[in-house]
Protein backbone atom coordinates (compact mmCIF):
# COMPACT_ATOMS: atom_id res chain seq x y z
CA UNK A 1 0.00 0.00 0.00
CA UNK A 2 2.83 2.32 0.94
CA UNK A 3 4.63 1.55 -2.29
CA UNK A 4 1.50 2.12 -4.34
CA UNK A 5 0.96 5.46 -2.66
CA UNK A 6 4.56 6.53 -3.19
CA UNK A 7 4.56 5.61 -6.89
CA UNK A 8 1.10 7.11 -7.40
CA UNK A 9 2.25 10.37 -5.86
CA UNK A 10 5.37 10.40 -7.99
CA UNK A 11 3.37 9.78 -11.19
CA UNK A 12 0.86 12.51 -10.39
CA UNK A 13 3.73 14.88 -9.72
CA UNK A 14 5.15 14.07 -13.13
CA UNK A 15 1.78 14.60 -14.80
CA UNK A 16 1.32 17.98 -13.23
CA UNK A 17 4.91 18.98 -13.89
CA UNK A 18 4.62 18.38 -17.61
CA UNK A 19 2.92 20.82 -19.97
CA UNK A 20 1.46 17.80 -21.77
CA UNK A 21 -1.13 17.25 -19.04
CA UNK A 22 -2.32 20.85 -19.22
CA UNK A 23 -2.43 20.83 -23.01
CA UNK A 24 -4.43 17.63 -22.94
CA UNK A 25 -6.80 18.87 -20.29
CA UNK A 26 -7.26 22.08 -22.30
CA UNK A 27 -7.98 20.24 -25.53
CA UNK A 28 -10.25 17.84 -23.70
CA UNK A 29 -12.30 20.62 -22.21
CA UNK A 30 -12.41 22.57 -25.47
CA UNK A 31 -13.66 19.54 -27.38
CA UNK A 32 -16.15 18.49 -24.75
CA UNK A 33 -17.31 22.09 -24.80
CA UNK A 34 -17.92 21.89 -28.53
CA UNK A 35 -19.76 18.59 -28.15
CA UNK A 36 -21.81 20.11 -25.39
CA UNK A 37 -22.81 23.13 -27.40
CA UNK A 38 -23.59 20.94 -30.39
CA UNK A 39 -25.80 18.66 -28.37
CA UNK A 40 -27.65 21.49 -26.69
CA UNK A 41 -27.77 24.06 -29.44
CA UNK A 42 -30.32 22.50 -31.71
CA UNK A 43 -34.09 22.57 -32.05
CA UNK A 44 -35.82 20.59 -29.34
CA UNK A 45 -32.53 19.93 -27.59
CA UNK A 46 -32.78 18.10 -24.35
CA UNK A 47 -31.27 19.43 -21.21
CA UNK A 48 -28.76 16.65 -20.66
CA UNK A 49 -25.04 15.88 -20.83
CA UNK A 50 -25.87 12.72 -22.71
CA UNK A 51 -24.66 13.95 -26.06
CA UNK A 52 -21.55 15.42 -24.52
CA UNK A 53 -20.54 12.25 -22.74
CA UNK A 54 -21.50 9.88 -25.54
CA UNK A 55 -19.38 11.72 -28.06
CA UNK A 56 -16.49 12.20 -25.70
CA UNK A 57 -16.45 8.56 -24.77
CA UNK A 58 -16.24 7.42 -28.33
CA UNK A 59 -13.86 10.00 -29.66
CA UNK A 60 -11.97 11.29 -26.69
CA UNK A 61 -11.26 8.23 -24.65
CA UNK A 62 -9.89 6.48 -27.69
CA UNK A 63 -7.43 9.34 -28.01
CA UNK A 64 -6.97 10.61 -24.50
CA UNK A 65 -6.41 7.28 -22.74
CA UNK A 66 -3.39 6.20 -24.77
CA UNK A 67 -1.97 9.72 -24.49
CA UNK A 68 -2.32 9.58 -20.74
CA UNK A 69 -0.76 6.15 -20.40
CA UNK A 70 1.90 6.17 -23.13
CA UNK A 71 4.53 7.69 -20.88
CA UNK A 72 4.01 5.51 -17.85
CA UNK A 73 6.22 2.56 -18.75
CA UNK A 74 7.74 3.63 -22.05
CA UNK A 75 9.58 6.54 -20.50
CA UNK A 76 10.89 4.49 -17.60
CA UNK A 77 12.27 2.00 -20.07
CA UNK A 78 13.85 4.72 -22.15
CA UNK A 79 15.40 6.55 -19.19
CA UNK A 80 16.43 3.24 -17.64
CA UNK A 81 14.69 4.16 -14.40
CA UNK A 82 12.70 0.95 -14.66
CA UNK A 83 15.93 -0.84 -13.76
CA UNK A 84 15.98 0.95 -10.42
CA UNK A 85 12.25 0.64 -9.85
CA UNK A 86 12.25 -3.09 -10.51
CA UNK A 87 15.36 -3.73 -8.42
CA UNK A 88 13.72 -1.99 -5.45
CA UNK A 89 11.68 -4.24 -3.16
CA UNK A 90 8.46 -3.34 -4.94
CA UNK A 91 6.10 -5.94 -6.33
CA UNK A 92 5.33 -5.70 -10.02
CA UNK A 93 1.60 -5.43 -9.40
CA UNK A 94 2.20 -2.47 -7.10
CA UNK A 95 3.99 -0.62 -9.87
CA UNK A 96 1.25 -1.40 -12.37
CA UNK A 97 -1.64 -0.55 -10.05
CA UNK A 98 -0.02 2.71 -8.94
CA UNK A 99 0.59 3.83 -12.50
CA UNK A 100 -2.91 2.85 -13.52
CA UNK A 101 -4.39 4.80 -10.62
CA UNK A 102 -2.34 7.85 -11.57
CA UNK A 103 -3.73 7.85 -15.09
CA UNK A 104 -7.22 7.26 -13.73
CA UNK A 105 -6.94 10.22 -11.37
CA UNK A 106 -5.95 12.40 -14.33
CA UNK A 107 -8.89 11.21 -16.38
CA UNK A 108 -11.29 11.61 -13.48
CA UNK A 109 -10.10 15.18 -12.92
CA UNK A 110 -10.81 15.99 -16.53
CA UNK A 111 -14.26 14.44 -16.21
CA UNK A 112 -14.78 16.44 -13.06
CA UNK A 113 -14.07 19.61 -14.98
CA UNK A 114 -16.86 18.81 -17.43
CA UNK A 115 -19.27 18.92 -14.51
CA UNK A 116 -19.14 22.62 -15.27
CA UNK A 117 -21.35 21.95 -18.30
CA UNK A 118 -23.72 19.92 -16.18
CA UNK A 119 -23.81 22.77 -13.72
CA UNK A 120 -24.59 25.19 -16.54
CA UNK A 121 -27.47 23.01 -17.59
CA UNK A 122 -28.78 22.76 -14.08
CA UNK A 123 -28.66 26.53 -13.82
CA UNK A 124 -30.55 27.28 -17.03
CA UNK A 125 -32.75 24.24 -17.29
CA UNK A 126 -33.92 21.30 -15.36
CA UNK A 127 -31.89 18.28 -16.45
CA UNK A 128 -32.65 14.81 -15.24
CA UNK A 129 -30.01 14.06 -12.64
CA UNK A 130 -30.33 10.27 -12.89
CA UNK A 131 -29.01 9.88 -16.45
CA UNK A 132 -26.38 12.54 -15.79
CA UNK A 133 -25.06 10.51 -12.92
CA UNK A 134 -25.18 7.20 -14.76
CA UNK A 135 -23.48 8.72 -17.79
CA UNK A 136 -20.58 9.83 -15.62
CA UNK A 137 -20.33 6.41 -14.01
CA UNK A 138 -20.25 4.86 -17.47
CA UNK A 139 -17.68 7.35 -18.67
CA UNK A 140 -15.33 6.53 -15.79
CA UNK A 141 -15.73 2.79 -16.26
CA UNK A 142 -15.16 3.16 -19.97
CA UNK A 143 -12.11 5.25 -19.15
CA UNK A 144 -10.73 2.69 -16.70
CA UNK A 145 -10.93 -0.10 -19.27
CA UNK A 146 -9.25 1.96 -21.99
CA UNK A 147 -6.53 3.19 -19.63
CA UNK A 148 -5.68 -0.42 -18.78
CA UNK A 149 -5.30 -1.12 -22.50
CA UNK A 150 -3.09 1.92 -22.93
CA UNK A 151 -0.97 0.85 -19.98
CA UNK A 152 -0.35 -2.56 -21.50
CA UNK A 153 0.73 -0.85 -24.72
CA UNK A 154 3.13 1.31 -22.76
CA UNK A 155 5.01 -1.71 -21.43
CA UNK A 156 5.57 -2.99 -24.95
CA UNK A 157 7.86 -0.23 -26.17
CA UNK A 158 10.37 2.26 -24.90
CA UNK A 159 9.04 4.69 -27.47
CA UNK A 160 6.10 6.74 -26.25
CA UNK A 161 4.73 7.33 -29.73
CA UNK A 162 4.74 3.62 -30.48
CA UNK A 163 3.06 2.99 -27.13
CA UNK A 164 0.37 5.56 -27.90
CA UNK A 165 -0.30 4.17 -31.36
CA UNK A 166 -0.51 0.58 -30.13
CA UNK A 167 -2.82 1.65 -27.31
CA UNK A 168 -4.95 3.62 -29.72
CA UNK A 169 -5.23 0.60 -32.01
CA UNK A 170 -6.18 -1.68 -29.14
CA UNK A 171 -8.91 0.64 -27.90
CA UNK A 172 -10.17 1.22 -31.41
CA UNK A 173 -10.57 -2.51 -31.92
CA UNK A 174 -12.64 -2.80 -28.77
CA UNK A 175 -14.68 0.25 -29.70
CA UNK A 176 -15.47 -0.92 -33.19
CA UNK A 177 -15.99 -4.67 -32.84
CA UNK A 178 -19.74 -4.19 -32.91
CA UNK A 179 -19.38 -2.60 -36.36
CA UNK A 180 -17.82 -5.85 -37.50
CA UNK A 181 -20.58 -7.80 -35.88
CA UNK A 182 -23.05 -5.97 -38.14
CA UNK A 183 -21.68 -7.71 -41.20
CA UNK A 184 -21.58 -11.10 -39.50
CA UNK A 185 -24.39 -13.11 -38.06
CA UNK A 186 -25.06 -15.81 -35.54
CA UNK A 187 -23.14 -16.47 -32.36
CA UNK A 188 -19.95 -14.78 -33.53
CA UNK A 189 -21.81 -11.58 -34.18
CA UNK A 190 -23.48 -11.68 -30.79
CA UNK A 191 -20.21 -12.37 -28.99
CA UNK A 192 -18.46 -9.56 -30.83
CA UNK A 193 -21.29 -7.23 -30.02
CA UNK A 194 -21.03 -8.11 -26.36
CA UNK A 195 -17.32 -7.32 -26.50
CA UNK A 196 -17.79 -3.81 -27.75
CA UNK A 197 -17.04 -0.90 -25.45
CA UNK A 198 -19.59 1.37 -27.06
CA UNK A 199 -22.43 -1.13 -26.83
CA UNK A 200 -21.97 -1.38 -23.08
CA UNK A 201 -21.73 2.34 -22.65
CA UNK A 202 -25.03 3.04 -24.37
CA UNK A 203 -27.09 1.79 -21.45
CA UNK A 204 -25.32 4.10 -19.02
CA UNK A 205 -25.94 6.98 -21.32
CA UNK A 206 -29.64 6.16 -21.37
CA UNK A 207 -29.67 6.29 -17.59
CA UNK A 208 -29.60 2.55 -17.03
CA UNK A 209 -26.98 1.16 -14.69
CA UNK A 210 -26.80 -2.55 -15.36
CA UNK A 211 -24.50 -4.77 -13.30
CA UNK A 212 -23.66 -6.71 -16.44
CA UNK A 213 -22.28 -3.56 -18.03
CA UNK A 214 -20.38 -2.63 -14.91
CA UNK A 215 -18.94 -6.13 -14.76
CA UNK A 216 -17.96 -5.94 -18.41
CA UNK A 217 -15.88 -2.81 -17.94
CA UNK A 218 -14.35 -4.02 -14.69
CA UNK A 219 -13.44 -7.40 -16.13
CA UNK A 220 -11.93 -5.81 -19.21
CA UNK A 221 -9.91 -3.50 -16.98
CA UNK A 222 -8.77 -6.38 -14.76
CA UNK A 223 -7.77 -8.51 -17.73
CA UNK A 224 -5.64 -5.76 -19.21
CA UNK A 225 -4.08 -4.87 -15.88
CA UNK A 226 -3.23 -8.53 -15.43
CA UNK A 227 -1.66 -8.64 -18.89
CA UNK A 228 0.30 -5.49 -18.03
CA UNK A 229 1.65 -7.11 -14.86
CA UNK A 230 2.65 -10.18 -16.84
CA UNK A 231 4.34 -8.00 -19.40
CA UNK A 232 6.38 -6.23 -16.71
CA UNK A 233 7.15 -9.54 -15.06
CA UNK A 234 8.20 -11.15 -18.28
CA UNK A 235 11.61 -9.47 -18.22
CA UNK A 236 12.37 -11.51 -15.15
CA UNK A 237 11.86 -14.74 -17.05
CA UNK A 238 13.44 -13.85 -20.34
CA UNK B 1 29.35 -14.22 12.24
CA UNK B 2 29.04 -16.91 9.66
CA UNK B 3 31.61 -17.64 7.04
CA UNK B 4 28.93 -17.86 4.40
CA UNK B 5 29.77 -15.54 1.54
CA UNK B 6 27.45 -12.57 1.07
CA UNK B 7 27.25 -13.04 -2.66
CA UNK B 8 27.60 -16.41 -4.33
CA UNK B 9 27.70 -16.51 -8.10
CA UNK B 10 27.69 -20.10 -9.26
CA UNK B 11 28.30 -21.10 -12.88
CA UNK B 12 26.37 -18.11 -14.08
CA UNK B 13 25.65 -17.83 -17.78
CA UNK B 14 23.53 -15.14 -19.35
CA UNK B 15 22.39 -15.16 -22.95
CA UNK B 16 20.98 -12.24 -24.87
CA UNK B 17 19.20 -14.24 -27.54
CA UNK B 18 21.89 -16.64 -28.73
CA UNK B 19 24.75 -14.48 -27.59
CA UNK B 20 26.36 -15.39 -24.28
CA UNK B 21 27.23 -12.08 -22.60
CA UNK B 22 28.74 -14.02 -19.70
CA UNK B 23 29.48 -17.70 -19.59
CA UNK B 24 30.10 -19.95 -16.62
CA UNK B 25 31.13 -17.25 -14.19
CA UNK B 26 31.73 -18.38 -10.61
CA UNK B 27 32.88 -16.23 -7.72
CA UNK B 28 32.05 -15.35 -4.13
CA UNK B 29 32.13 -12.10 -2.25
CA UNK B 30 32.69 -12.20 1.50
CA UNK B 31 30.68 -10.06 3.88
CA UNK B 32 32.25 -6.64 4.20
CA UNK B 33 34.52 -7.13 1.23
CA UNK B 34 35.04 -4.55 -1.52
CA UNK B 35 35.33 -6.43 -4.78
CA UNK B 36 36.49 -4.84 -8.00
CA UNK B 37 35.04 -5.96 -11.25
CA UNK B 38 37.53 -5.05 -13.90
CA UNK B 39 37.21 -5.53 -17.61
CA UNK B 40 37.23 -3.77 -20.95
CA UNK B 41 34.06 -2.66 -22.72
CA UNK B 42 31.55 -5.41 -23.42
CA UNK B 43 33.27 -7.74 -20.95
CA UNK B 44 29.97 -8.49 -19.22
CA UNK B 45 30.33 -6.42 -16.06
CA UNK B 46 26.97 -4.71 -16.32
CA UNK B 47 25.25 -7.94 -17.26
CA UNK B 48 26.62 -9.71 -14.17
CA UNK B 49 25.50 -6.85 -11.96
CA UNK B 50 22.03 -6.88 -13.46
CA UNK B 51 21.69 -10.52 -12.57
CA UNK B 52 22.94 -9.97 -9.03
CA UNK B 53 20.46 -7.14 -8.47
CA UNK B 54 17.59 -9.22 -9.81
CA UNK B 55 16.89 -7.08 -12.87
CA UNK B 56 17.68 -9.89 -15.29
CA UNK B 57 17.30 -13.59 -14.58
CA UNK B 58 20.25 -15.96 -15.09
CA UNK B 59 20.09 -18.17 -18.17
CA UNK B 60 22.01 -20.87 -16.35
CA UNK B 61 23.54 -21.15 -12.92
CA UNK B 62 22.49 -19.50 -9.69
CA UNK B 63 23.18 -16.31 -7.81
CA UNK B 64 22.58 -15.98 -4.09
CA UNK B 65 22.71 -12.88 -1.96
CA UNK B 66 22.89 -13.53 1.78
CA UNK B 67 21.64 -17.00 1.01
CA UNK B 68 18.61 -15.80 -0.94
CA UNK B 69 18.25 -16.89 -4.53
CA UNK B 70 17.90 -13.92 -6.89
CA UNK B 71 15.07 -15.59 -8.78
CA UNK B 72 13.14 -17.49 -6.12
CA UNK B 73 13.56 -14.92 -3.32
CA UNK B 74 13.86 -11.87 -5.50
CA UNK B 75 12.08 -9.56 -3.09
CA UNK B 76 14.38 -10.46 -0.17
CA UNK B 77 17.43 -9.91 -2.34
CA UNK B 78 16.13 -6.55 -3.52
CA UNK B 79 15.57 -5.48 0.08
CA UNK B 80 19.28 -6.04 0.79
CA UNK B 81 20.78 -4.40 -2.25
CA UNK B 82 21.58 -0.81 -3.15
CA UNK B 83 22.27 -0.39 -6.83
CA UNK B 84 23.62 2.30 -9.06
CA UNK B 85 23.20 1.30 -12.71
CA UNK B 86 25.79 2.36 -15.22
CA UNK B 87 23.56 4.89 -16.98
CA UNK B 88 22.56 6.51 -13.67
CA UNK B 89 18.86 6.53 -14.46
CA UNK B 90 17.03 9.30 -12.61
CA UNK B 91 13.63 10.95 -12.80
CA UNK B 92 14.60 14.24 -14.35
CA UNK B 93 11.41 16.03 -13.34
CA UNK B 94 11.91 15.43 -9.62
CA UNK B 95 13.99 17.44 -7.21
CA UNK B 96 16.92 15.78 -5.50
CA UNK B 97 15.05 15.97 -2.23
CA UNK B 98 11.85 14.38 -3.53
CA UNK B 99 13.76 11.77 -5.45
CA UNK B 100 15.67 10.62 -2.39
CA UNK B 101 12.45 10.52 -0.39
CA UNK B 102 10.79 8.47 -3.11
CA UNK B 103 13.63 5.97 -3.35
CA UNK B 104 13.71 5.68 0.44
CA UNK B 105 9.99 4.98 0.58
CA UNK B 106 9.97 2.24 -2.03
CA UNK B 107 12.92 0.66 -0.26
CA UNK B 108 10.77 0.41 2.82
CA UNK B 109 12.49 3.01 4.99
CA UNK B 110 10.52 4.70 7.74
CA UNK B 111 9.76 8.38 7.35
CA UNK B 112 12.09 9.23 10.18
CA UNK B 113 14.94 7.18 8.75
CA UNK B 114 14.42 8.87 5.39
CA UNK B 115 14.67 12.33 6.93
CA UNK B 116 17.85 11.43 8.77
CA UNK B 117 19.56 9.62 5.91
CA UNK B 118 18.54 12.22 3.34
CA UNK B 119 20.62 14.86 5.02
CA UNK B 120 23.45 12.43 5.71
CA UNK B 121 23.85 11.29 2.13
CA UNK B 122 23.39 14.82 0.86
CA UNK B 123 26.38 15.80 2.94
CA UNK B 124 28.46 12.76 2.05
CA UNK B 125 27.83 13.25 -1.66
CA UNK B 126 28.13 17.05 -1.50
CA UNK B 127 24.69 17.72 -2.85
CA UNK B 128 23.62 20.44 -0.39
CA UNK B 129 23.73 23.12 -3.05
CA UNK B 130 21.34 21.24 -5.32
CA UNK B 131 19.09 19.72 -2.70
CA UNK B 132 16.01 21.48 -3.99
CA UNK B 133 16.94 21.52 -7.68
CA UNK B 134 15.34 19.53 -10.44
CA UNK B 135 17.53 16.56 -11.31
CA UNK B 136 17.11 17.35 -15.01
CA UNK B 137 18.99 20.61 -14.47
CA UNK B 138 22.00 19.05 -12.77
CA UNK B 139 25.30 18.48 -14.53
CA UNK B 140 26.43 14.95 -15.32
CA UNK B 141 28.75 14.77 -12.33
CA UNK B 142 26.09 15.88 -9.90
CA UNK B 143 23.61 13.40 -11.32
CA UNK B 144 26.24 10.77 -10.72
CA UNK B 145 26.38 11.85 -7.10
CA UNK B 146 22.61 11.63 -6.80
CA UNK B 147 22.92 8.11 -8.20
CA UNK B 148 25.40 7.18 -5.50
CA UNK B 149 23.32 8.92 -2.85
CA UNK B 150 20.21 6.88 -3.66
CA UNK B 151 22.24 3.67 -3.68
CA UNK B 152 23.59 4.15 -0.17
CA UNK B 153 20.49 5.89 1.21
CA UNK B 154 19.00 2.83 2.89
CA UNK B 155 22.35 1.60 4.19
CA UNK B 156 22.10 -1.60 2.20
CA UNK B 157 23.83 -4.78 3.17
CA UNK B 158 25.10 -5.14 -0.39
CA UNK B 159 26.09 -2.30 -2.67
CA UNK B 160 26.39 -2.74 -6.41
CA UNK B 161 27.98 0.20 -8.18
CA UNK B 162 28.40 0.09 -11.95
CA UNK B 163 31.24 2.42 -12.90
CA UNK B 164 30.56 4.95 -10.16
CA UNK B 165 33.40 7.34 -10.95
CA UNK B 166 32.71 7.91 -14.63
CA UNK B 167 32.05 11.52 -15.46
CA UNK B 168 32.93 13.20 -12.19
CA UNK B 169 35.78 15.61 -11.70
CA UNK B 170 39.14 14.43 -10.34
CA UNK B 171 38.70 15.81 -6.84
CA UNK B 172 35.31 14.22 -6.54
CA UNK B 173 36.69 10.98 -7.98
CA UNK B 174 39.16 10.80 -5.12
CA UNK B 175 36.41 11.46 -2.61
CA UNK B 176 34.09 8.93 -4.18
CA UNK B 177 36.79 6.28 -4.10
CA UNK B 178 37.42 7.02 -0.45
CA UNK B 179 33.71 6.84 0.21
CA UNK B 180 33.42 3.45 -1.47
CA UNK B 181 36.43 2.18 0.38
CA UNK B 182 35.00 3.35 3.68
CA UNK B 183 31.76 1.51 2.97
CA UNK B 184 33.63 -1.79 3.06
CA UNK B 185 33.53 -3.58 6.38
CA UNK B 186 29.94 -2.52 7.04
CA UNK B 187 28.70 -3.21 3.57
CA UNK B 188 29.61 -5.71 0.93
CA UNK B 189 30.48 -3.79 -2.19
CA UNK B 190 30.91 -4.72 -5.83
CA UNK B 191 32.34 -1.95 -8.00
CA UNK B 192 32.85 -2.28 -11.71
CA UNK B 193 35.37 -0.22 -13.55
CA UNK B 194 37.71 -0.36 -16.48
CA UNK B 195 40.31 1.72 -14.74
CA UNK B 196 43.12 -0.44 -13.42
CA UNK B 197 44.56 1.92 -10.79
CA UNK B 198 41.09 2.53 -9.42
CA UNK B 199 40.68 -1.04 -8.23
CA UNK B 200 44.05 -1.01 -6.51
CA UNK B 201 42.89 2.06 -4.63
CA UNK B 202 39.56 0.78 -3.41
CA UNK B 203 39.33 -2.98 -3.68
CA UNK B 204 40.60 -5.82 -1.60
CA UNK B 205 40.14 -8.26 -4.42
CA UNK B 206 39.79 -7.93 -8.15
CA UNK B 207 38.04 -10.07 -10.69
CA UNK B 208 39.17 -9.51 -14.21
CA UNK B 209 36.55 -10.40 -16.74
CA UNK B 210 36.92 -10.43 -20.47
CA UNK B 211 34.47 -11.50 -23.17
CA UNK B 212 32.14 -12.90 -20.56
CA UNK B 213 34.67 -15.07 -18.78
CA UNK B 214 36.70 -14.61 -15.65
CA UNK B 215 40.34 -14.26 -16.61
CA UNK B 216 41.80 -14.01 -13.15
CA UNK B 217 40.94 -13.30 -9.52
CA UNK B 218 43.58 -11.75 -7.32
CA UNK B 219 44.54 -9.09 -4.84
CA UNK B 220 45.38 -5.78 -6.52
CA UNK B 221 48.96 -5.78 -5.22
CA UNK B 222 49.56 -9.25 -6.65
CA UNK B 223 48.17 -8.13 -9.95
CA UNK B 224 50.55 -5.24 -9.98
CA UNK B 225 53.44 -7.58 -9.20
CA UNK B 226 52.42 -9.95 -11.93
CA UNK B 227 52.24 -7.09 -14.31
CA UNK B 228 55.61 -5.63 -13.51
CA UNK B 229 57.69 -5.64 -16.60
CA UNK B 230 57.62 -9.39 -16.88
CA UNK B 231 56.37 -11.94 -19.28
CA UNK B 232 55.59 -15.54 -18.51
CA UNK B 233 56.40 -18.51 -20.69
CA UNK B 234 55.56 -22.15 -20.14
CA UNK B 235 57.64 -24.92 -21.65
CA UNK B 236 57.58 -28.66 -21.57
CA UNK B 237 60.91 -30.31 -22.38
CA UNK B 238 62.18 -33.87 -22.44
CA UNK B 239 65.69 -33.91 -20.97
CA UNK B 240 67.77 -33.82 -17.75
CA UNK B 241 66.11 -31.17 -15.63
CA UNK B 242 69.21 -29.68 -14.00
CA UNK B 243 70.96 -29.19 -17.31
CA UNK B 244 67.82 -27.82 -18.95
CA UNK B 245 67.35 -25.28 -16.18
CA UNK B 246 70.94 -24.11 -16.56
CA UNK B 247 70.65 -23.73 -20.30
CA UNK B 248 67.33 -21.91 -20.07
CA UNK B 249 68.73 -19.55 -17.44
CA UNK B 250 71.62 -18.72 -19.73
CA UNK B 251 69.33 -17.45 -22.48
CA UNK B 252 69.57 -13.64 -22.40
CA UNK B 253 66.41 -12.03 -21.04
CA UNK B 254 65.36 -14.96 -18.82
CA UNK B 255 65.05 -13.88 -15.22
CA UNK B 256 63.77 -16.92 -13.45
CA UNK B 257 63.07 -20.58 -14.16
CA UNK B 258 61.15 -23.07 -12.08
CA UNK B 259 60.11 -26.58 -13.03
CA UNK B 260 57.95 -29.51 -12.08
CA UNK B 261 58.87 -33.00 -13.28
CA UNK B 262 56.40 -34.98 -15.36
CA UNK B 263 56.29 -38.61 -16.40
CA UNK B 264 58.47 -39.95 -19.20
CA UNK B 265 61.60 -37.85 -18.44
CA UNK B 266 59.67 -34.70 -19.25
CA UNK B 267 59.30 -31.63 -17.09
CA UNK B 268 57.26 -28.44 -17.21
CA UNK B 269 59.20 -25.20 -16.91
CA UNK B 270 57.79 -21.84 -15.95
CA UNK B 271 59.95 -18.97 -17.11
CA UNK B 272 59.83 -15.31 -16.23
CA UNK B 273 61.34 -12.98 -18.76
CA UNK B 274 61.61 -9.32 -19.48
CA UNK B 275 58.55 -7.74 -20.92
CA UNK B 276 58.51 -6.70 -24.51
CA UNK B 277 61.01 -9.28 -25.71
CA UNK B 278 59.86 -12.42 -27.40
CA UNK B 279 62.14 -15.09 -25.96
CA UNK B 280 60.38 -18.02 -27.51
CA UNK B 281 62.61 -18.36 -30.55
CA UNK B 282 65.82 -18.20 -28.53
CA UNK B 283 64.47 -20.71 -26.04
CA UNK B 284 63.41 -23.16 -28.72
CA UNK B 285 66.80 -22.89 -30.36
CA UNK B 286 68.65 -23.48 -27.07
CA UNK B 287 66.62 -26.61 -26.31
CA UNK B 288 66.92 -28.09 -29.78
CA UNK B 289 70.67 -27.40 -29.98
CA UNK B 290 71.17 -29.62 -26.94
CA UNK B 291 69.23 -32.40 -28.52
CA UNK B 292 66.36 -32.34 -26.02
CA UNK B 293 62.80 -32.77 -27.02
CA UNK B 294 60.72 -29.59 -27.07
CA UNK B 295 57.20 -30.75 -26.33
CA UNK B 296 55.51 -27.42 -25.70
CA UNK B 297 56.37 -23.75 -25.73
CA UNK B 298 53.78 -21.08 -25.05
CA UNK B 299 53.59 -17.54 -23.85
CA UNK B 300 51.18 -17.43 -20.93
CA UNK B 301 47.98 -15.43 -20.77
CA UNK B 302 48.34 -13.26 -23.79
CA UNK B 303 44.74 -12.28 -23.27
CA UNK B 304 45.53 -11.06 -19.78
CA UNK B 305 48.38 -8.99 -21.13
CA UNK B 306 46.21 -7.57 -23.84
CA UNK B 307 43.48 -6.79 -21.38
CA UNK B 308 45.93 -5.00 -19.16
CA UNK B 309 47.21 -3.07 -22.08
CA UNK B 310 43.70 -1.92 -22.83
CA UNK B 311 42.93 -1.20 -19.21
CA UNK B 312 46.03 0.83 -18.67
CA UNK B 313 45.55 2.83 -21.84
CA UNK B 314 41.91 3.45 -21.01
CA UNK B 315 43.03 5.00 -17.75
CA UNK B 316 45.27 7.49 -19.52
CA UNK B 317 42.41 8.68 -21.68
N1 LIG C 1 20.15 -5.80 -23.69
C1 LIG C 1 21.11 -6.41 -24.44
N2 LIG C 1 20.77 -7.10 -25.54
C2 LIG C 1 21.70 -7.73 -26.29
N3 LIG C 1 23.00 -7.73 -26.01
C3 LIG C 1 23.41 -7.06 -24.92
C4 LIG C 1 22.49 -6.36 -24.08
N4 LIG C 1 23.17 -5.80 -23.08
C5 LIG C 1 24.47 -6.12 -23.27
N5 LIG C 1 24.62 -6.87 -24.38
C6 LIG C 1 25.88 -7.43 -24.87
O1 LIG C 1 26.46 -8.19 -23.85
C7 LIG C 1 27.87 -7.99 -23.80
C8 LIG C 1 28.29 -7.55 -22.41
O2 LIG C 1 27.73 -6.29 -22.15
P1 LIG C 1 27.89 -5.53 -20.77
O3 LIG C 1 27.04 -4.31 -20.84
O4 LIG C 1 27.63 -6.48 -19.67
O5 LIG C 1 29.43 -5.14 -20.79
P2 LIG C 1 30.25 -4.22 -19.78
O6 LIG C 1 31.36 -5.06 -19.27
O7 LIG C 1 29.35 -3.62 -18.80
O8 LIG C 1 30.86 -3.14 -20.75
P3 LIG C 1 31.11 -1.56 -20.51
O9 LIG C 1 32.45 -1.41 -19.89
O10 LIG C 1 31.09 -1.03 -21.90
O11 LIG C 1 30.01 -1.03 -19.68
C9 LIG C 1 28.19 -6.97 -24.88
O12 LIG C 1 28.72 -7.66 -26.00
C10 LIG C 1 26.87 -6.35 -25.21
O13 LIG C 1 26.81 -6.01 -26.56
MG1 LIG D 1 28.87 -1.79 -18.29
Amino acid sequence: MRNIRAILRKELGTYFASPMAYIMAGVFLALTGVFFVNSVDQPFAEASVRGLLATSSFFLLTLVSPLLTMRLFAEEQKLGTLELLLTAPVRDYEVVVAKFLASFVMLASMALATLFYAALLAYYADPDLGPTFSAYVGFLLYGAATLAMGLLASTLSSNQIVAAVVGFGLILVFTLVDQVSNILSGTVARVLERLSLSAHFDAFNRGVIDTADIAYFLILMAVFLFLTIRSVESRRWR
Amino acid sequence: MSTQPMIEVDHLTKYYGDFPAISDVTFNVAKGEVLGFLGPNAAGKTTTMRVITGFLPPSQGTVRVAGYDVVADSLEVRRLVGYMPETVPLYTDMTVKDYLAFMGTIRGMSRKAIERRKSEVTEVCHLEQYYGSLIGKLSKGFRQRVGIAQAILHEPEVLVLDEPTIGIDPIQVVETRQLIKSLGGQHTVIVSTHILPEVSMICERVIIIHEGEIVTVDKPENLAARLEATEHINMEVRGPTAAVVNVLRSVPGVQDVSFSPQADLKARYALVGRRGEDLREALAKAVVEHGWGLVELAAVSMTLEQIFLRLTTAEEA
Side-chain angles (χ1 to χ4, degrees), chain A residues 34-193:
Chain A
V34 171
F35 296 152
F36 174 65
V37 171
N38 269 348
S39 73
V40 179
D41 182 28
Q42 46 185 321
F44 312 111
E46 22 171 348
S48 87
V49 290
R50 191 181 295 170
L52 151 68
L53 284 173
T55 330
S56 36
S57 301
F58 298 147
F59 293 98
L60 284 180
L61 285 179
T62 313
L63 275 174
V64 166
S65 291
L67 287 178
L68 275 174
T69 51
M70 65 180 184
R71 180 184 61 79
L72 291 169
F73 279 99
E75 191 180 51
E76 297 238 24
Q77 296 187 67
K78 178 150 229 157
L79 286 176
T81 45
L82 199 62
E83 188 167 351
L84 268 182
L85 195 58
L86 295 185
T87 52
V90 179
R91 291 185 173 81
D92 295 340
Y93 85 82
E94 293 175 321
V95 177
V96 170
V97 168
K99 284 178 180 279
F100 170 76
L101 285 178
S103 65
F104 187 75
V105 167
M106 291 308 288
L107 190 72
S109 335
M110 291 186 196
L112 205 65
T114 63
L115 278 179
F116 171 68
Y117 305 127
L120 267 186
L121 271 184
Y123 184 78
Y124 287 109
D126 187 18
D128 202 344
L129 286 182
T132 306
F133 175 74
S134 73
Y136 272 101
V137 170
F139 179 84
L140 290 179
L141 285 168
Y142 195 139
T146 53
L147 287 171
M149 294 178 193
L151 199 60
L152 173 66
S154 180
T155 63
L156 301 179
S157 171
S158 58
N159 183 326
Q160 293 193 36
I161 306 299
V162 172
V165 171
V166 171
F168 175 74
L170 209 54
I171 296 165
L172 208 60
V173 167
F174 274 87
T175 313
L176 298 179
V177 273
D178 57 341
Q179 304 297 317
V180 180
S181 75
N182 287 346
I183 52 173
L184 296 169
S185 61
T187 326
V188 182
R190 274 205 303 282
V191 168
L192 287 181
E193 202 182 284

Side-chain angles (χ1 to χ4, degrees), chain A residues 2 14 76 83 88 90 236, chain B residues 50 57 78 83 89 91 93 109:
Chain A
R2 197 159 169 259
T14 306
E76 297 238 24
E83 188 167 351
V90 179
R236 295 200 205 281
Chain B
R50 284 181 161 173
R78 287 185 267 152
Y83 178 33
Y91 298 110
D93 52 12
M109 294 170 73

Side-chain angles (χ1 to χ4, degrees), chain B residues 165-188:
Chain B
T165 56
I166 294 278
I168 50 187
D169 62 61
I171 298 170
Q172 187 64 26
V173 165
V174 173
E175 278 189 29
T176 307
R177 287 175 183 166
Q178 273 162 359
L179 170 67
I180 295 168
K181 201 171 173 177
S182 72
L183 292 168
Q186 304 279 345
H187 311 254
T188 307

